[in-house]
Amino acid sequence: MPRGGRLHPLALGIVPAAALALFYIWPFVVLMIEAVDAESIRSTFERGRTWRILWFTTWQAVASTVVTIVLGLAPAWAVARFDFPGRRALVSVLTAIFVMPTVVMGAAFLALFPDSLDRTVWAVLAAHVVFNLAVVIRTVGAVWEQLPADMEHAAATLGASPLRAFREVTLPLIRPALTAAASVVFLFTFTSFGVVRILAAPGTRTIEVEVWRRATQLGEIGEAAVLALLQLTILGFLAAWSTIVQRRHSRALDLESLSAPTRPRHRWQRRAVALIATTTAIVAVVPLLALVVKSVSTPTGWTFEAWRTLGSAEIRPGISLGLDPIGSLVNSLRTAAWATGFAVVIGALASLSIAASGRAGRFLDAGLMLPLGTSAVTIGFGMLITFDTDPVDWRASWWLVPIGHALVATPFVVRTTLGVLRSVDPELSHAAATLGAAPITAWREIVVPHLWRPLAVAAALAAAISLGEFGATSFLSRSGGETLPIAIERLLGRTGSLLQAKGYALATLLAAITVVIVLVVDRSHEITTGRRK
């Protein structure tokens, strides 16, 4: 937002800052005050297991992030630069994998791996990489596809190889987006819960798993709160470092106006794109096929019984399942729609304020990243014990679950949007003002056209995150308001192959719905921008 306009940039940050304070900071402070004391701090750090858990949490997150970034660059390049058959479907499938409940996907990977890899750290790393490929492709690709291709062509004309052109021309320009993607992947793997519970060896835990274990199995609420605070502190430093690095390497660019990806022109490009797309598709589709197979298989053979009886809440005549699978699907879609709206509005206002406020926007930027580094269980637990008395007894309010999801999704909206906003050359606005354009008009004509694409991407990510969110929902949802992940977890926890097959059927349905949502968002954006396939 232009300075000197009717609205100051800092004013745009009022709503995001108020939402952060009301629904994150306040519940977190209440939880810490009621649970943390000197004794819980002493007993937590005296245990050698605490330090072993911290070490494992850190090194597996670093390894997962490095491998994900390295392997994600190739598909990000192919998707951002080239049009090829199945391009949109590939991105949608990767996003669906990113949103899949980790408990379900962990079980799918467990079924895929040979016995020699079951219950090993390699299985955890592999699952983390596949889960988070969409973050790299979406975040880095959103910037990469708007970089002027002329610079790479000029480097090639001067004799630079494709690898050298990437290293010396492209890499410095996408470094802020790479840093943003790396920080998101690290945060996500540092707080890994379902994957580690399913795929790691017994006794191997991340801080997130240990928080859950001490709070729910051992009843050590104080030590769980101390670990949650330790996790938040570490990730708070990471968020601050990420913000500094992104600002240091951000530079104004003459971004191209959303030109469509082109067909590979050279032979090496066609081969490279085909190899990358095929390999990525295989990696993405195999876990989903495992879900489908599990939904139609029982120890007695193949059957569609789970799908045929999915709308029934009865196990057998007179015996209820205790939940409504189809009702959980409706609840998930409704919750995701509201959560996406909340996250996009709050994230867009925050991004505009941060980009235009300079140093003053750093506090809001770092603050909005905090929920991402906080245990979702901690967020839900804090909101539940805070909003349970008048005049803020909101436990029965329908919007509390979407707000909890939006807290987790908003950092993705900010990170996806902010990199593009910071790449818009401010001299263009100055030139427009010199030519007589009003500040609002200059902002609308120069900044807004670059905003829709990252916002559409952010909306898809927010919807995907809401559809798969589990930790906070387990505290905030009421009976009859179960979402799909909760229904899936309950079905998979029951004995009986048919009930577990129903759980996998719902997981398959969740993946299919997510793919459709992402395709609709991408198609709507193409129609809005006039792009035709």
Side-chain angles (χ1 to χ4, degrees):
M1 183 66 65
R3 298 178 186 278
R6 294 183 176 87
L7 191 60
H8 193 278
L10 289 177
L12 294 172
I14 291 177
V15 171
L20 179 71
L22 179 60
F23 295 111
Y24 172 74
I25 296 177
W26 185 20
F28 187 82
V29 170
V30 169
L31 178 62
M32 292 299 114
I33 290 176
E34 294 189 3
V36 177
D37 54 27
E39 176 59 26
S40 62
I41 295 175
R42 183 191 61 77
S43 61
T44 299
F45 288 104
E46 280 184 352
R47 295 188 181 188
R49 173 174 292 277
T50 298
W51 299 105
R52 290 194 295 273
I53 290 173
L54 176 60
W55 167 243
F56 172 75
T57 304
T58 303
W59 83 256
Q60 65 83 23
V62 171
S64 298
T65 302
V66 171
V67 176
T68 303
I69 293 296
V70 171
L71 296 183
L73 276 177
W77 167 75
V79 169
R81 286 302 194 198
F82 301 104
D83 183 26
F84 53 85
R87 174 177 174 271
R88 284 184 296 170
L90 177 61
V91 176
S92 300
V93 169
L94 289 170
T95 304
I97 289 177
F98 178 68
V99 72
M100 289 296 290
T102 53
V103 173
V104 176
M105 287 301 291
F109 275 94
L110 192 64
L112 287 174
F113 292 142
D115 293 341
S116 59
L117 284 177
D118 283 351
R119 302 291 181 181
T120 66
V121 70
W122 304 113
V124 173
L125 296 180
H128 282 168
V129 170
V130 176
F131 273 131
N132 293 291
L133 277 177
V135 176
V136 182
I137 293 173
R138 289 280 186 175
T139 305
V140 179
V143 176
W144 205 334
E145 71 176 332
Q146 297 190 61
L147 293 180
D150 294 344
M151 294 185 294
E152 297 172 1
H153 297 160
T157 303
L158 294 173
S161 65
L163 181 61
R164 185 178 180 185
F166 168 77
R167 187 177 65 248
E168 298 185 3
V169 176
T170 305
L171 183 58
L173 298 177
I174 64 173
R175 186 172 297 170
L178 272 177
T179 304
S183 63
V184 170
V185 174
F186 182 88
L187 289 170
F188 196 76
T189 54
F190 193 86
T191 58
S192 181
F193 180 73
V195 169
V196 174
R197 284 195 61 193
I198 295 295
L199 296 177
T204 302
R205 306 183 187 100
T206 57
I207 294 177
E208 186 86 341
V209 175
E210 187 68 3
V211 169
W212 167 82
R213 191 179 77 92
R214 294 194 184 187
T216 62
Q217 295 190 336
L218 304 180
E220 298 172 349
I221 302 299
E223 295 189 7
V226 170
L227 287 174
L229 185 60
L230 172 65
Q231 178 174 272
L232 181 64
T233 302
I234 294 172
L235 296 180
F237 280 112
L238 173 72
W241 171 83
S242 173
T243 301
I244 293 172
V245 171
Q246 287 184 68
R247 294 181 64 88
R248 182 176 298 168
H249 294 286
S250 294
R251 62 192 65 189
L253 299 172
D254 183 16
L255 296 179
E256 291 187 336
S257 182
L258 302 177
S259 58
T262 60
R263 292 280 184 179
R265 292 181 299 177
H266 305 291
R267 187 176 182 181
W268 72 267
Q269 288 180 340
R270 290 193 291 271
R271 289 182 173 179
V273 170
L275 177 61
I276 292 169
T278 302
T279 303
T280 306
I282 291 174
V283 170
V285 169
V286 168
L288 300 182
L289 290 179
L291 290 178
V292 176
V293 170
K294 281 183 172 291
S295 72
V296 295
S297 64
T298 65
T300 57
W302 301 100
T303 175
F304 286 94
E305 185 70 10
W307 286 94
R308 193 173 58 80
T309 60
L310 201 57
S312 174
E314 289 188 341
I315 302 175
R316 59 179 63 92
I319 301 179
S320 174
L321 191 60
L323 58 86
D324 179 6
I326 298 301
S328 68
L329 169 62
V330 175
N331 290 335
S332 280
L333 293 176
R334 183 166 52 232
T335 301
W338 282 106
T340 300
F342 292 149
V344 168
V345 170
I346 294 173
L349 290 174
S351 298
L352 289 169
S353 178
I354 293 168
S357 300
R359 292 178 179 273
R362 294 180 181 179
F363 296 100
L364 181 59
D365 191 4
L368 288 172
M369 288 290 286
L370 294 179
L372 194 60
T374 308
S375 163
V377 170
T378 302
I379 292 176
F381 190 24
M383 293 177 70
L384 188 67
I385 66 173
T386 302
F387 303 128
D388 66 341
T389 55
D390 291 329
V392 290
D393 187 1
W394 296 335
R395 289 172 298 174
S397 301
W398 64 267
W399 45 263
L400 199 56
V401 173
I403 286 291
H405 291 187
L407 279 175
V408 181
T410 298
F412 291 88
V413 178
V414 174
R415 294 268 71 81
T416 304
T417 308
L418 194 57
V420 175
L421 287 177
R422 283 174 171 165
S423 298
V424 178
D425 191 349
E427 293 300 325
L428 295 176
S429 298
H430 298 160
T434 303
L435 295 174
I440 294 293
T441 301
W443 175 78
R444 185 181 65 241
E445 296 297 329
I446 295 173
V447 177
V448 170
H450 295 295
L451 192 60
W452 299 124
R453 176 62 176 171
L455 276 184
V457 172
L461 281 174
I465 290 168
S466 176
L467 284 170
E469 207 289 324
F470 176 71
T473 311
S474 62
F475 279 93
L476 300 176
S477 67
R478 297 171 295 152
S479 178
E482 294 89 355
T483 58
L484 272 179
I486 290 180
I488 292 168
E489 186 272 340
R490 291 183 180 177
L491 287 170
L492 292 179
R494 303 282 182 86
T495 56
S497 58
L498 181 58
L499 295 181
Q500 293 183 356
K502 281 190 174 184
Y504 286 113
L506 286 179
T508 303
L509 201 56
L510 177 58
I513 292 171
T514 306
V515 170
V516 171
I517 290 175
V518 174
L519 283 175
V520 169
V521 170
D522 285 348
R523 183 59 180 164
S524 299
H525 171 68
E526 290 172 357
I527 293 174
T528 301
T529 57
R531 183 186 299 179
R532 293 290 184 271
K533 302 302 294 181

